[in-house]
């Protein structure tokens, strides 16, 4: 790299070029692979021009939360203009300007939402409190629940008066009413799936056993009929 070229490595592994004359290197071709002196080890570099705007690599949950918070710093929430979406937001709900709420999401009365991103088609119950959270689509937060610094996967359900702090939920997870959880990753349990698999296997074995018994009876019945026919012919 020449002295006239200035480049800096930004956080999360993004290389930002600040000189317009710097061009993106071509991708390796088949000819390069067969060229003399080439080896199997390669290093890939992604170059993003600073003039093209902000860029960040989102490959971890903390990075995901950080990029959402960056967007919130530039957000300016206002009530929906469409009558259908406007009717879903209760007048007594308190929503800070640094919040984003997706379309067709219902927010009930006396609910407080601050510095959060709420997905589409969510249902937020009465007297809930949501601070610094990211909720994906179709989440249901029942009355009196409290969320602080959480990321909720799609279709997550939080029961009434439950409290979650710095938690991450897998899509479809259900938090029981009144439950309190702090700093945990909540996954859908696999034991239920295992039980279902065992039950399916048992049912298959029973069906196979019944089929075997049925075939045995058919074979036995056929043999008995042959014996009877032989006895009749002898008579």
């Amino acid at each position: 790299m020449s002295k006239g070229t200035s480049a800096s490595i930004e956080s999360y592994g993004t290389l930002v070029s600040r000189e317009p004359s710097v061009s993106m290197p071509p991708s390796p071709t088949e000819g390069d692979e067969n060229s003399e002196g080439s080896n199997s080890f390669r290093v890939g570099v992604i170059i993003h021009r600073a003039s093209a705007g902000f860029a960040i690599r989102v490959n971890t949950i903390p990075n995901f939360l950080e990029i959402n918070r960056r967007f919130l710093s530039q957000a300016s929430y206002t009530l929906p203009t469409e009558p259908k979406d406007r009717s879903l937001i209760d007048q007594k709900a308190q929503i800070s300007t640094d919040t984003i709420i997706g379309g067709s999401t219902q927010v009930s009365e006396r609910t407080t939402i601050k510095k959060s991103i709420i997905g589409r088609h969510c249902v937020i119950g009465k007297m809930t409190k949501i601070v610094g959270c990211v909720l994906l689509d179709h989440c249901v937060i029942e009355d009196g629940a409290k969320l602080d610094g959480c990321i909720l996967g799609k279709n997550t359900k939080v029961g009434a008066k439950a409290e979650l702090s710095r938690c991450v939920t897998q899509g479809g997870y259900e938090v029981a009413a009144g439950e309190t959880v702090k700093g945990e990753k909540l996954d859908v349990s696999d034991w239920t799936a295992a039980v279902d698999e065992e039950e399916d296997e048992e049912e298959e074995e029973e069906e196979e056993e019944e089929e075997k018994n049925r075939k045995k009876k058919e074979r036995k019945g056929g043999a008995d009929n042959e014996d009877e026919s032989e006895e009749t012919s002898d008579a």
Side-chain angles (χ1 to χ4, degrees):
M1 186 176 290
S2 62
K3 294 182 180 180
T5 302
S6 61
S8 61
I9 304 294
E10 300 291 344
S11 61
Y12 311 112
T14 302
L15 177 62
V16 179
S17 172
R18 302 189 184 280
E19 184 174 327
S21 62
V22 177
S23 60
M24 182 175 295
S27 301
T29 62
E30 294 181 358
D32 296 335
E33 295 179 0
N34 300 326
S35 62
E36 185 178 357
S38 65
N39 51 50
S40 60
F41 180 75
R42 295 181 182 180
V43 176
V45 178
I46 298 175
I47 298 177
H48 177 78
R49 298 183 184 279
S51 59
F54 174 78
I56 185 172
R57 183 183 182 187
V58 181
N59 61 337
T60 64
I61 291 177
N63 286 0
F64 175 75
L65 188 58
E66 178 63 23
I67 188 63
N68 278 278
R69 286 175 175 170
R70 283 177 179 262
F71 283 125
L72 286 177
S73 64
Q74 304 172 4
S76 180
Y77 175 77
T78 57
L79 291 173
T81 55
E82 295 184 7
K84 181 179 179 181
D85 288 338
R86 178 65 185 88
S87 64
L88 296 175
I89 309 296
D90 192 272
Q91 295 181 355
K92 295 182 180 179
Q94 298 180 0
I95 303 173
S96 65
T97 56
D98 52 356
T99 291
I100 297 175
I101 296 181
S104 301
T105 286
Q106 177 182 343
V107 180
S108 302
E109 62 178 313
R110 299 176 65 184
T111 283
T112 301
I113 303 177
K114 297 180 179 179
K115 298 181 180 180
S116 298
I117 296 179
I118 312 297
R120 297 171 298 176
H121 304 285
C122 294
V123 178
I124 313 299
K126 301 177 182 178
M127 295 183 290
T128 62
K129 186 175 182 180
I130 302 174
V131 179
C133 297
V134 177
L135 279 63
L136 300 189
D137 297 346
H138 299 281
C139 289
V140 177
I141 313 300
E142 295 185 349
D143 298 350
K146 295 181 180 180
L147 307 177
D148 182 16
C150 297
I151 300 176
L152 304 189
K154 188 176 180 180
N155 292 314
T156 294
K157 181 178 179 180
V158 179
K161 297 184 178 180
E163 296 186 13
L164 299 182
S165 177
R166 302 184 306 279
C167 291
V168 178
T169 69
Q170 183 182 6
Y173 189 87
E174 294 188 8
V175 180
E179 186 175 0
T180 299
V181 186
K182 295 183 179 180
E184 292 189 17
K185 183 179 179 181
L186 305 175
D187 297 332
V188 176
S189 178
D190 292 331
W191 69 268
T192 54
V195 170
D196 291 340
E197 289 177 0
E198 291 178 359
E199 290 178 352
D200 292 339
E201 290 177 0
E202 290 178 358
E203 289 179 0
E204 289 178 1
E205 291 177 357
E206 290 177 359
E207 289 177 358
E208 290 177 359
E209 188 67 24
E210 290 177 358
E211 184 67 18
K212 289 179 181 179
N213 293 334
R214 185 181 63 80
K215 289 181 178 180
K216 286 180 180 179
K217 289 180 180 179
E218 289 179 355
R219 287 197 296 268
K220 185 177 180 181
D224 292 340
N225 291 335
E226 290 179 0
D227 293 340
E228 289 177 1
S229 61
E230 289 178 359
E231 290 177 0
T232 303
S233 61
D234 292 340

